[in-house]
Amino acid sequence: MITEIYRDAWGIPHLRAGSARALARAQGLVTARDRAWQLEVERHRAQGTSAAFLGSEALAWDRFARRVRLDDTAGRCFTALERRDPETADWVRAYVDGVNEGLERTPAPEFARVGLAPGRWEPWTPLAVWLATHILFAGFPAKLWREQAVRHLGADAVRLFATDGPGTSGSNGWLVSRERTTTGAAVIAGDPHRFIEDPGVYQQIHLSCPEFDVVGLAVPGIPGIAHFGHTGTVAWAITNAMADYQDLYRERLRRTGAGVEALGPDGVWRRAARHTETVEVAGEEPVEVEVIETDRGPVIAGGPEGLDDGTPLALSLRYPPRVTEDLGFGALLPLLRARRVADVDHAFDLWAEPVNVVQAADTEGGLLHRVAGRVPLRSDANRTRLVPAWEPGHDWRGWHDMPRAGLADGIAVMANQRGPATPLGVEFAPSHRADRITALLTEKDRWSPADMPVIHMDTRLASAAPLSDHLEALDGLTPAAAAIRDVLLRWDRHMDADSTDAAVYAAVRSAVVRRLAAHPAFAALTAPPAYPEVFLPWLNLVPRIGFALEHLLRAEDLYGIDRAEIVRAAVEEVASGDLPATWGDTHRLFAWRALTDTPDEGPGLSGDHDCVLCTSAVPGWTDMSARGPAARYVWDLARREDSLWVVPFGASGVPGSPHHRDQLPLWLKGDLVPVVTDWTLLKKETDV
């Protein structure tokens, strides 16, 4: 059978082949045609070679990628995959063959701008891209923040600042059973929250061969459909479980004539692996990076001489794929072949990372709500802060069993809140999004697939309550400040782009955050230690206060800070300046691009961090939103062709393509694109 590539009206690729292997090659080929520049940027980031053409701004990431051994870990995992699951390894090779073929034939304008030629993917490159994409997903740098906060503020700081903070990514997802739908079959809907990138981090695609026929959202550079898929008889979706499965160890290192040694928990100094690598930097001198690995894992900060500021500290990272040589790619083919919920369940038994909450439903009424991934069993100290490598009791002692959950009143909601994954994590998202989705779903007895965008786009901000409570208690304000207080007390707490009240609330909130961050009680946290730059988003005081504001305003005592006076001063500050027009005037989309001459201030957005429409601003820092729904989906188990989806920009990553940004207006409004599965409605592009 000839492999065929079709397109629908939105440029979404539909691939048909005679075998799973031929289909994987076609997927790699079409991805390279549509996303050549994106694929090469991701390959270089995984290798730690992106500064060679992106310049010094990419150097911090490249240093981290080299020190944490991303590419080497991916290579080890692929070698192990060849041994454990040769069919999947061969399937991944076929995808890579397609990528390489596509890169040879698909020049992108960005390559010429930086003088870069497309390189060659290795069989393990998809695994490296996956690992690079998710290495910070579990937010292990939060342990650096907790270490600082506890040192200066005491143990209660962990609880006060616990939140879905900077650098983490979340998602919404909900499952409605057939008893609660108008079609008599289940519906799964949601939206993954990630940093918004152009091209997007998800690729709408349709994969068909004699073994399976699947539509879903693929990750460019990765074969198959891992996170969100619909096979016609079963569909699945995931959210971040907020599990903690990476540990940071304080290491005692010393140099010897033979290299570097590390002190172990048995009191013995052991040789650490050590070598140096050179990072090329466009327009600057190359930078040498020392790569050290102890029995715990790669050293990602400091070394025998300590941090750059002389602090005597070295930190190693222990993360599951480095230990097990398994990235969970063995789950990808079984997911494509799934026919029932039980098949999806068995496939996710093979999942490794990131650790996710999974929901699935099939046409026979089967339902699934579980956690999937690999989380080590170890001491509670490992989970919260840095632990000493030279003391016993901090080793890994096996793996957690993955929890499962049921449905309540025919629905299940996942939004990174405490739930089935609670035993596996430390910090979770506030329950506001999950509570709001649940409340909306209970407003009707029956839901149709077409109803779901109402939930996607909900802008109610429950986390505004603590600040409103403080405002209500204020008296003696100037007339202008009293007018602002009265406006906010009447406000419906919806963060709509055209809302002037929402803009006023955001201005007051940011003023409160800045004033709290400037208080002497937090002075010791304003200057973080000289950790690598890639960890700084977790260590910046203003975002930490901004995302934890709800807890800080509600705490019984906050280190003696007069919060009423802070709020009063913030309201007076806003009242003395120019009042903002609308929320959408400052809350604008800021998408990441590997190449940009000037920052692109995108369209105004509704939503906010704790809204179901989670378009995250950083209170006190910026109203711009760099994170939000990286896709939206509605999987209908009654008729797959009634399913819906949308991405922030479009199917193509090629600037100037008619499908580069054609979905953006829909994404902004909350509209979705129909999922097309009828081949007679598609336009044939080419045979492979």
Side-chain angles (χ1 to χ4, degrees), residues 148-334:
Q148 289 295 103
V150 169
R151 179 180 302 145
H152 297 295
L153 299 175
D156 281 349
V158 173
R159 174 183 54 83
L160 283 172
F161 284 93
T163 183
D164 178 23
T168 61
S169 296
S171 301
N172 297 315
W174 55 95
L175 167 61
V176 182
S177 69
R178 60 185 179 182
E179 293 80 13
R180 295 289 306 277
T181 68
T182 60
T183 63
V187 173
I188 301 175
D191 48 7
H193 304 153
R194 294 193 178 220
F195 287 100
I196 302 297
E197 300 182 14
D198 182 9
V201 298
Y202 282 113
Q203 172 194 32
Q204 297 152 301
I205 200 163
H206 180 191
L207 304 175
S208 182
C209 68
E211 285 187 85
F212 51 79
D213 185 285
V214 188
V215 295
L217 297 164
V219 176
I222 314 300
I225 295 169
H227 288 159
F228 310 94
H230 195 326
T231 73
T233 59
V234 66
W236 68 91
I238 59 94
T239 62
N240 185 356
M242 308 296 286
D244 180 85
Y245 48 88
Q246 302 161 325
D247 286 350
L248 284 174
Y249 290 82
R250 293 176 176 271
E251 295 279 1
R252 286 182 178 169
L253 305 179
R254 68 183 184 187
R255 295 197 186 276
T256 68
V260 173
E261 291 182 340
L263 183 61
D266 56 0
V268 177
W269 289 89
R270 289 187 173 83
R271 179 83 173 269
R274 179 203 172 274
H275 69 277
T276 60
E277 298 181 10
T278 300
V279 179
E280 301 291 336
V281 184
E284 299 184 13
E285 292 297 314
V287 174
E288 189 174 87
V289 176
E290 184 177 36
V291 179
I292 299 172
E293 185 165 8
T294 73
D295 290 344
R296 272 65 58 194
V299 174
I300 59 170
E305 289 76 37
L307 298 173
D308 290 344
D309 64 351
T311 303
L313 182 67
L315 295 179
S316 63
L317 175 68
R318 189 169 181 82
Y319 58 102
R322 191 71 183 165
V323 176
T324 64
E325 298 184 342
D326 182 13
L327 266 170
F329 269 47
L332 299 182
L333 269 174

Side-chain angles (χ1 to χ4, degrees), residues 17-213:
S19 68
R21 192 184 194 284
L23 190 59
R25 184 182 176 192
Q27 186 183 3
L29 175 63
V30 79
T31 304
R33 288 181 180 176
D34 291 351
R35 311 285 187 104
W37 173 248
Q38 180 184 26
L39 289 182
E40 280 296 84
V41 169
E42 294 303 322
R43 180 178 68 86
H44 281 283
R45 281 175 54 80
Q47 292 177 171
T49 55
S50 58
F53 60 96
L54 295 179
S56 58
E57 289 187 0
L59 178 58
W61 171 265
D62 283 358
R63 276 177 165 158
F64 170 68
R66 302 293 187 98
R67 297 189 77 178
V68 80
R69 313 299 312 275
L70 292 183
D71 200 47
D72 182 75
T73 302
R76 292 186 183 188
C77 289
F78 185 79
T79 299
L81 185 66
E82 288 184 301
R83 184 176 65 253
R84 298 168 181 158
D85 186 353
E87 183 193 18
T88 297
D90 184 61
W91 177 72
V92 174
R93 283 183 182 273
Y95 180 87
V96 168
D97 289 343
V99 169
N100 285 327
E101 181 181 349
L103 291 175
E104 290 174 359
R105 301 181 181 182
T106 313
E110 295 92 344
F111 290 109
R113 285 184 57 187
V114 297
L116 182 72
R120 187 158 189 83
W121 282 45
E122 300 293 343
W124 60 86
T125 301
L127 285 74
V129 169
W130 184 265
L131 186 56
T133 300
H134 296 109
I135 187 68
L136 296 175
F137 221 66
F140 71 80
K143 296 178 183 181
L144 303 177
W145 162 258
R146 293 189 206 115
E147 190 80 7
Q148 289 295 103
V150 169
R151 179 180 302 145
H152 297 295
L153 299 175
D156 281 349
V158 173
R159 174 183 54 83
L160 283 172
F161 284 93
T163 183
D164 178 23
T168 61
S169 296
S171 301
N172 297 315
W174 55 95
L175 167 61
V176 182
S177 69
R178 60 185 179 182
E179 293 80 13
R180 295 289 306 277
T181 68
T182 60
T183 63
V187 173
I188 301 175
D191 48 7
H193 304 153
R194 294 193 178 220
F195 287 100
I196 302 297
E197 300 182 14
D198 182 9
V201 298
Y202 282 113
Q203 172 194 32
Q204 297 152 301
I205 200 163
H206 180 191
L207 304 175
S208 182
C209 68
E211 285 187 85
F212 51 79
D213 185 285

Side-chain angles (χ1 to χ4, degrees), residues 317-456:
L317 175 68
R318 189 169 181 82
Y319 58 102
R322 191 71 183 165
V323 176
T324 64
E325 298 184 342
D326 182 13
L327 266 170
F329 269 47
L332 299 182
L333 269 174
L335 279 174
L336 295 176
R337 291 167 173 158
R339 295 292 182 270
R340 300 289 179 267
V341 155
D343 303 325
V344 173
D345 194 12
H346 294 151
F348 275 107
D349 285 341
L350 302 172
W351 193 264
E353 75 165 53
V355 179
N356 291 322
V357 178
V358 181
Q359 292 180 340
D362 63 34
T363 54
E364 296 181 355
L367 302 172
L368 178 69
H369 188 193
R370 63 164 292 184
V371 183
R374 188 162 285 168
V375 179
L377 292 164
R378 73 276 206 221
S379 72
D380 286 342
N382 290 47
R383 291 153 44 93
T384 55
R385 294 171 57 188
L386 317 183
V387 292
W390 57 87
E391 291 183 3
H394 299 295
D395 55 329
W396 288 7
R397 306 182 303 275
W399 306 97
H400 277 277
D401 293 329
M402 291 295 100
R404 297 171 178 271
L407 277 68
D409 194 26
I411 62 173
V413 176
M414 50 183 185
N416 319 115
Q417 80 280 19
R418 292 185 180 274
T422 298
L424 309 178
V426 177
E427 295 188 25
F428 294 83
S431 64
H432 302 307
R433 286 185 284 119
D435 292 344
R436 180 62 174 167
I437 294 168
T438 302
L440 290 171
L441 287 172
T442 57
E443 289 180 358
K444 292 170 58 173
D445 292 333
R446 298 285 187 274
W447 286 81
S448 74
D451 293 333
M452 295 305 171
V454 172
I455 299 176
H456 284 135

